[in-house]
Amino acid sequence: MARKPRPLSDTEVHDRLVAAAEALGDAPGETTRGNTAIATARRALVMLQLSLVKAMEESTDKLDGVRNQD
């Protein structure tokens, strides 16, 4: 039977966001579609990293720039 994974700490979440951004690298997409997708993913990951750090510093559960937070 599969075990339920333990929740990640905020630091672990941040580390995974950084790793995801690093995994994307900095190469552009070959097509406009691919380049748009990868560039948007990079920006989204950076925004989430910064929003998480800001929320941690302010001791709030709300991330700036993220909609529908429940």
Side-chain angles (χ1 to χ4, degrees):
M1 185 179 293
R3 291 185 340 191
K4 183 177 178 182
R6 71 169 180 76
L8 300 172
S9 70
D10 290 342
T11 301
E12 291 170 320
V13 171
H14 182 267
D15 291 346
R16 289 188 182 200
L17 291 170
V18 169
E22 289 174 353
L24 292 177
D26 58 1
E30 185 175 302
T31 64
T32 300
R33 290 181 299 275
N35 193 56
T36 299
I38 201 160
T40 302
R42 286 184 190 113
R43 284 191 299 272
L45 288 167
V46 169
M47 188 212 52
L48 288 168
Q49 290 171 39
L50 295 174
S51 293
L52 178 59
V53 169
K54 183 176 184 230
M56 289 165 59
E57 288 176 352
E58 295 176 352
S59 296
T60 182
D61 288 333
K62 298 296 181 183
L63 298 180
D64 286 347
V66 178
R67 295 183 189 177
N68 302 328
Q69 298 179 49
D70 294 323

